[in-house]
Amino acid sequence: MRATLLDRRAALGGGLALASAALLRPTAAGAQAARSRTGAAPDGAVDVRRFGAVGDGIAIDTPAINRAIAELAAAGGGTLHFPAGTYAAYTIRLESRITLHLAQGATLLAAPAPADGQNGYDLAEEQDPRATGFQDFGHSHWRNSFIWGDGLHDVAITGEGLIWGKGLGRGDGKDNWLQDPTGPGTANKAIALKNCRNVLLRDFKLLEGGWFALLATGVDNLTIDNLLIDTNRDGLDIDCCKNVRVTNCTVNAPYDDAICPKSSFALGYPRVTENVTISDCLVTGNYQIGSVLDGTWRKMPADFAPLIHGRIKFGTESNGGFRNIAITNCVFEDSRGIALETVDGGMLEDVTISNITMRGIVHGAFFLRLGKRMRGPAGRPLGSVQRVLISNLVSSGGSQLPAVIAGLAERPITDVQISDTLLHQVGGAPAAMAKLQPPENELGYPEATMFGDLPATGLFARHVRNLALSNVEVQVAAPDPRPAIWLQDVEDADLFRLRLPRDAEAFALHDVRRFRSAGIRGVADMDRR
């Protein structure tokens, strides 16, 4: 018994000594971060050059990279380290329990596709026959990518290096980027993941990602943190995914959407995108490709303005729907606004948008649309939009298009609250615009421009139930004859403490029932039963 007690005391003393020593040296996480900053390999990582990778930007390192991944996976997993260098490659095939770590100064370069189309990127797989006719090529193929994985778990890409999709196609041949040849051996996505779980993408930079910098479809427990994406089409496409965290990212996407959750039919069945947070991100659509990455931040020419994208958008693909969504602490610069769209039968519900700052928005600060494109198997009922809260949003220098909430006559949008919001618009519309009766365009592609010019400076809302506005201000830089708020087929609307331009009507009310307003300067309180 005495020996046992002494052993315990010795063990306790040793433990205290170890704990004291631990306080005097860097933590494992701190040491790991320090190694990342200096380009050193993480603990236990395997150098890709051990498998024959050259990293000179000329030799094709695909065989070495994929052999290294396969051997690590066969041994139970591990971290494959890319030291400084340029690793030209075709398709890199991920495996479960594998981390690709890109050191500072390391570039994974998507090499130009072979001229004869042979021995280049992996071929696109056969489309799921259930999705035929309901989904375009880009969203329903994953293997024709620079980096792809299917059915994997515990996968990561980390480090401060660069993924450069120089040899990737955009999928549309526009803007002088590589078209997709009809022959094999080409690719149009930087990273494509399908039916994976426990995925981490952190700290790296991505340039010219092709059609999608990231296409994640059916991926659960997805963390995307501290990425800088400077790309020639879509940034982050998060499709049919659950439990997603997007944080601290900068995305410049002049030609398409920056952060774009979707809920397509690409898997051959509808799957909800849910439990998604997007926070502390900057999105823009008006900087030359590569200038955000190199820190010069060169604006696009003035005539590029009609093409600006670069926003956060939910949709257009919306078969499964969206729920439990939080967007907060994000900055929009020279981009389109936030779009929440469901047009293919899915729900969109339980959404909060807060602490948003915007400058130079071209299509209205926010756009909520319930439509009936219904691209999917026949017989699906219309979707729904309900329980959407927008608060603490400021937008300055917005275009003449107001914010839009547009449902359907047979399926209104319900339960929308907008509070503590300031919308500063350029104004200056002609008098005729105040008298417009915009078309319904029920089957049109959902976009803020789908109704043409609109007869409001601040908010256009049609087919809505239970709408509340409080502490909202609308400003115009130039006099504008349009009313600040234009409502049609709206029921149960409460408007309190609004500040609206004085040189035009406050409201235009068309078929509005149970309407209350109070505390609005220059406007008598109203209570329509």
Side-chain angles (χ1 to χ4, degrees):
M1 176 66 72
R2 179 173 176 77
T4 303
L5 288 173
L6 289 172
D7 289 343
R8 289 176 180 172
R9 288 169 184 161
L12 179 58
L16 290 172
L18 288 172
S20 299
L23 292 174
L24 297 176
R25 63 176 180 262
T27 64
Q32 184 68 40
R35 281 191 292 273
S36 178
R37 287 192 296 271
T38 60
D43 286 342
V46 176
D47 192 323
V48 70
R49 293 173 299 187
R50 285 179 46 189
F51 296 84
V54 177
D56 64 357
I58 300 172
I60 298 299
D61 287 325
T62 314
I65 295 170
N66 285 331
R67 184 167 58 252
I69 291 172
E71 290 194 20
L72 281 174
T79 297
L80 184 62
H81 177 66
F82 292 79
T86 299
Y87 301 85
Y90 299 126
T91 296
I92 296 170
R93 305 180 192 107
L94 293 173
E95 297 282 355
S96 294
R97 302 189 184 91
I98 293 296
T99 294
L100 304 184
H101 182 81
L102 311 180
Q104 184 71 266
T107 296
L108 279 179
L109 175 66
D116 61 0
Q118 302 299 314
N119 302 314
Y121 296 94
D122 285 356
L123 305 184
E125 65 272 49
E126 292 293 327
Q127 184 179 32
D128 189 312
R130 298 171 296 176
T132 302
F134 305 134
Q135 201 54 63
D136 62 31
F137 185 88
H139 290 82
S140 52
H141 296 86
W142 296 265
R143 297 191 180 193
N144 58 329
S145 302
F146 185 30
I147 303 170
W148 71 267
D150 186 353
L152 307 181
H153 62 87
D154 301 291
V155 176
I157 304 175
T158 64
E160 297 182 340
L162 171 68
I163 296 173
W164 185 4
K166 185 176 182 181
L168 303 178
R170 283 178 40 124
D172 59 5
K174 294 180 181 177
D175 311 304
N176 297 319
W177 263 279
L178 175 70
Q179 298 187 33
D180 291 335
T182 56
T186 64
N188 60 24
K189 291 172 280 286
I191 303 171
L193 301 169
K194 177 187 178 187
N195 291 332
C196 297
R197 68 181 192 274
N198 304 337
V199 174
L200 171 65
L201 306 174
R202 174 172 285 160
D203 292 339
F204 60 86
K205 297 173 283 290
L206 199 154
L207 175 65
E208 293 177 2
W211 194 333
F212 304 100
L214 169 69
L215 176 63
T217 310
V219 176
D220 295 348
N221 303 336
L222 170 62
T223 299
I224 303 170
D225 179 54
N226 197 36
L227 302 190
L228 192 161
I229 298 173
D230 203 348
T231 193
N232 46 345
R233 206 166 168 198
D234 272 31
L236 302 172
D237 274 45
I238 300 161
D239 189 8
C240 304
C241 297
K242 299 182 179 181
N243 307 328
V244 179
R245 305 291 175 263
V246 182
T247 55
N248 306 310
C249 292
T250 297
V251 185
N252 178 45
Y255 298 96
D256 221 315
D257 301 313
I259 301 175
C260 193
K262 302 185 178 194
S263 183
S264 75
F265 210 79
L267 295 173
Y269 62 93
R271 191 174 195 258
V272 179
T273 290
E274 61 183 334
N275 304 338
V276 177
T277 63
I278 302 171
S279 66
D280 302 283
C281 292
L282 165 65
V283 296
T284 181
N286 197 29
Y287 287 97
Q288 295 179 36
I289 305 299
S291 70
V292 173
L293 180 66
D294 68 20
T296 59
W297 295 82
R298 300 186 306 277
K299 287 285 187 77
M300 286 290 202
D303 61 2
F304 183 76
L307 300 176
I308 287 174
H309 280 67
R311 63 184 160 186
I312 295 176
K313 170 184 169 182
F314 284 68
T316 301
E317 287 76 12
S318 47
N319 299 89
F322 310 94
R323 65 188 175 208
N324 287 357
I325 309 296
I327 306 170
T328 189
N329 296 345
C330 290
V331 175
F332 292 64
E333 182 185 3
D334 288 357
S335 71
R336 300 184 185 184
I338 294 174
L340 304 178
E341 306 169 354
T342 178
V343 296
D344 296 322
M347 89 291 282
L348 195 157
E349 61 189 27
D350 302 322
V351 179
T352 65
I353 300 169
S354 62
N355 301 338
I356 305 296
T357 180
M358 300 175 162
R359 292 178 65 86
I361 298 301
V362 297
H363 280 183
F366 52 87
F367 175 71
L368 279 63
R369 175 59 172 164
L370 171 57
K372 56 178 181 180
R373 178 178 69 174
M374 305 305 289
R375 189 171 71 179
R380 183 86 186 272
L382 293 175
S384 62
V385 176
Q386 58 186 340
R387 298 188 297 275
V388 178
L389 275 61
I390 300 172
S391 63
N392 294 335
L393 182 150
V394 58
S395 172
S396 65
S399 70
Q400 287 187 346
L401 277 177
V404 172
I405 306 172
L408 296 167
E410 67 264 50
R411 187 63 61 87
I413 290 173
T414 64
D415 304 319
V416 177
Q417 298 183 17
I418 304 166
S419 63
D420 301 310
T421 291
L422 194 157
L423 303 175
H424 173 269
Q425 309 288 102
V426 296
M433 202 179 290
K435 300 177 182 179
L436 291 175
Q437 293 292 325
E440 293 281 350
N441 199 9
E442 294 178 339
L443 304 179
Y445 185 88
E447 196 65 83
T449 56
M450 67 184 299
F451 307 116
D453 293 328
L454 294 175
T457 56
L459 176 66
F460 173 91
R462 181 162 59 187
H463 309 313
V464 182
R465 304 291 181 267
N466 194 16
L467 173 66
L469 277 65
S470 62
N471 295 326
V472 173
E473 180 169 358
V474 178
Q475 300 176 352
V476 289
D480 196 303
R482 297 174 295 170
I485 312 292
W486 193 95
L487 306 180
Q488 182 180 32
D489 183 27
V490 174
E491 188 172 316
D492 291 316
D494 291 327
L495 282 62
F496 299 119
R497 294 188 62 193
L498 309 188
R499 295 171 63 93
L500 308 175
R502 297 180 180 179
D503 56 356
E505 289 183 83
F507 317 125
L509 306 179
H510 308 274
D511 188 23
V512 175
R513 304 167 299 281
R514 293 200 289 274
F515 173 90
R516 291 188 304 168
S517 67
I520 302 172
R521 286 187 179 181
V523 179
D525 292 356
M526 300 173 61
D527 191 349
R528 289 187 179 182
R529 298 294 180 179

